Amino acid sequence: MSILAGKLGLVFGVANKRSIAWAIAQAWHQAGARLAFTYQGERLKENVAELAGAFGEDTVVLPCDVTKDEEIAEVFRQVGERFGKLHLLLHSVAFAPREALEGEFIHTSREAFRVAHDVSAYSLVALAREGAPLMTEGGSILAMTYYGAEKVVPRYNVMGVAKAALEASARYLAYDLGPKKIRVNCISAGPVNTLAARGIAGFAEMLKHYEAHAPLKRNVLPEELGAAGTFLASDGAAAITGQVIYVDSGYQIMGM
Ligand code: NAP
């Protein structure tokens, strides 16, 4: 079923084939969307170009450090030139200095707090602002978040605070962009073993904890994030905006 046939999308946050962005991009592609990708820095260029090449040799792959306004502007200028318009935008980007993801939150430095919020939360505002003018037929903006935004997850620390800012930003953006038929939602994913996840101290323990305590007694699969991302991008979710949708084997409902 090609529920995203004719849709044009832009994906931020593929680092490798384990990336959540890659799982969602594959699902969007299988549902009929045509996609462009960005990567951060030369280090990832080849990797992302190789993955994106699976969608056709002419797949657009552009550099973008989301902390740089001029790079963001250039990405949307080039996507505008190539696609003419845009329907889907995936924000699957986060970063906090490693030392801020160990030990106690109280020791978070001003700089680590700033960087985590700049990369992981403000970037959604910047991308939505540049992307919205291309979404002339309406659109769906999707960001990845985590439960540490609302409850204390030891050692997730400043990333939890940045995810809270990301989720709140999604709500304010949903309000601003609603009249243009542009929806903004977050998927709150259970833990998935990716490059970024390995930067969180005790991540293996988190996986085990979910298996033991989530109602479904297992961890979420990347393809399940792809399927949820496809639903939120589709017309089936036309009346859903500003929401955080939990794709976490049910973990979020538990009180004990
Ligand atoms: P990932 O594969 O490492 O993806 C994170 C991406 O963010 C990488 O492509 C990374 O590029 C990019 N990034 C970091 N700083 C950037 C910058 N300044 N400009 C542009 N891109 C930048 O890990 P992931 O787990 O799939 O993470 C994707 C999203 O899902 C993140 O928002 C994460 O918080 C969220 N999430 C993950 C989990 C989980 O358990 N894995 C659970 C819930 C939510 P570099 O590699 O170059 O830094």
Side-chain angles (χ1 to χ4, degrees), residues 21-200:
W22 182 239
I24 294 177
Q26 281 180 296
W28 281 2
H29 172 75
Q30 278 157 19
R34 184 173 166 213
L35 303 177
F37 293 85
T38 68
Y39 60 89
Q40 188 208 188
E42 284 302 303
R43 189 174 49 86
L44 286 181
K45 183 178 180 180
E46 231 173 89
N47 223 357
V48 179
E50 197 183 318
L51 285 171
F55 296 169
E57 271 175 26
D58 62 341
T59 304
V60 179
V61 181
L62 302 164
C64 187
D65 177 338
V66 297
T67 62
K68 303 208 165 105
D69 287 335
E70 61 284 5
E71 289 191 20
I72 293 175
E74 181 58 16
V75 163
F76 285 97
R77 193 192 64 73
Q78 290 205 38
V79 166
E81 229 174 66
R82 299 288 282 269
F83 284 175
K85 58 192 170 185
L86 192 67
H87 304 99
L88 314 175
L89 195 160
L90 177 62
H91 176 287
S92 188
V93 168
F95 176 77
R98 182 173 274 264
E99 69 275 11
L101 300 175
E102 300 165 345
E104 294 178 327
F105 171 71
I106 201 168
H107 298 301
T108 307
S109 68
R110 190 182 296 275
E111 181 59 7
F113 192 97
R114 186 195 67 73
V115 168
H117 282 71
D118 190 9
V119 177
S120 317
Y122 179 75
S123 56
L124 179 67
V125 184
L127 298 187
R129 188 169 57 239
E130 293 294 319
L134 287 175
M135 293 184 162
T136 48
E137 297 172 352
S140 172
I141 298 175
L142 187 57
M144 295 307 304
T145 187
Y146 178 62
Y147 185 58
E150 59 181 281
K151 298 284 179 186
V152 173
V153 175
R155 293 173 297 208
Y156 197 64
N157 294 359
V158 72
M159 189 53 81
V161 182
K163 290 298 190 193
L166 177 78
E167 292 178 10
S169 300
R171 289 188 282 273
Y172 279 90
L173 290 168
Y175 176 72
D176 283 355
L177 298 174
K180 298 185 169 128
K181 295 196 174 70
I182 300 170
R183 301 179 291 105
V184 187
N185 291 292
C186 297
I187 288 182
S188 184
V192 180
N193 196 355
T194 63
L195 207 60
R198 269 175 257 145
I200 302 160

